[in-house]
Amino acid sequence: VLLGNILSEKGIGGFYKGIQAYTVLCLKPAIQYTVYEQVKKIVLATRRVNRAAAAGGGRSSAIVVEDESLGAAEAFLLGMVARVVATMLTYPYLRAKVMLQSTYGNAKVKPTIPQMISEQFSEGGVWGLYQGIGPELTRGVFSAALMMMVKERIGVMVRALIDGREEQQKQLINNRGR
């Protein structure tokens, strides 16, 4: 019944109304994760260079596993930074979408989201684009930081388990030959 109503009232395009907003909002976690991973690579590469210079090249496998992950505090802080960057990049679009829905509701003629962003900018400058961002940052930053911290710790445990199993498999293969 609902599908028939949408098809008869809006046509086939009615099924895809809002897909543009959905697509843009899907970018937020992608941006967050990309920023996190790229900065993590830089941090870990710097750490490896510094340790290699200090150690003179000799390394154990435990150091290699630690070099491939961030500490809990590092992951937490980097998760916070990544979420702030992602939010700052997507918030004007999100705010325009909410303003459009709350101001125009079901009106027949209403501006597009880019037009709303332009209107917000012309009325308030950059501040107009980011008005109300505080609660959005507060809501998401700590959960994102915690998630990245837990992700790093789980990654260390999984790598240790995999490395341990690889060592056990090598030992079994070596023992079979004897």
Side-chain angles (χ1 to χ4, degrees):
V1 176
L2 178 63
L3 296 177
N5 288 343
I6 292 172
L7 187 60
S8 65
E9 290 176 19
K10 305 280 184 181
I12 196 79
F15 291 113
Y16 299 100
K17 184 179 181 189
I19 198 163
Q20 177 188 14
Y22 178 76
T23 303
V24 170
L25 295 177
C26 285
L27 290 175
K28 186 175 186 176
I31 292 167
Q32 176 184 326
Y33 192 73
T34 300
V35 168
Y36 179 86
E37 288 298 321
Q38 294 304 310
V39 176
K40 175 184 166 182
K41 281 182 186 179
I42 293 167
V43 168
L44 296 179
T46 302
R47 183 182 295 162
R48 280 191 292 273
V49 167
N50 291 342
R51 283 204 179 141
R59 300 164 56 123
S60 71
S61 61
I63 292 174
V64 172
V65 169
E66 278 302 311
D67 278 353
E68 294 174 1
S69 66
L70 299 172
E74 292 171 317
F76 189 85
L77 290 172
L78 187 51
M80 288 177 76
V81 169
R83 181 59 173 244
V84 167
V85 169
T87 300
M88 294 297 287
L89 291 174
T90 58
Y91 186 77
Y93 188 91
L94 174 67
R95 183 171 186 273
K97 178 180 164 289
V98 169
M99 294 295 291
L100 187 65
Q101 290 171 336
S102 65
T103 304
Y104 292 92
N106 291 326
K108 291 282 185 190
V109 177
K110 52 185 167 184
T112 64
I113 291 177
Q115 289 170 333
M116 284 297 291
I117 292 172
S118 177
E119 181 181 317
Q120 290 169 0
F121 183 75
S122 66
E123 289 177 4
V126 174
W127 173 247
L129 297 176
Y130 291 98
Q131 189 174 359
I133 197 169
E136 179 69 16
L137 286 172
T138 303
R139 183 185 63 80
V141 166
F142 290 108
S143 65
L146 185 61
M147 179 183 71
M148 291 304 187
M149 181 180 75
V150 171
K151 172 205 168 290
E152 282 300 314
R153 296 294 88 202
I154 290 172
V156 168
M157 292 187 319
V158 169
R159 277 193 298 279
L161 287 171
I162 290 170
D163 290 346
R165 286 193 179 162
E166 287 175 1
E167 289 298 320
Q168 288 175 346
Q169 290 172 355
K170 288 177 187 175
Q171 288 174 357
L172 285 173
I173 291 170
N174 290 336
N175 290 338
R176 283 186 190 165
R178 293 182 185 166

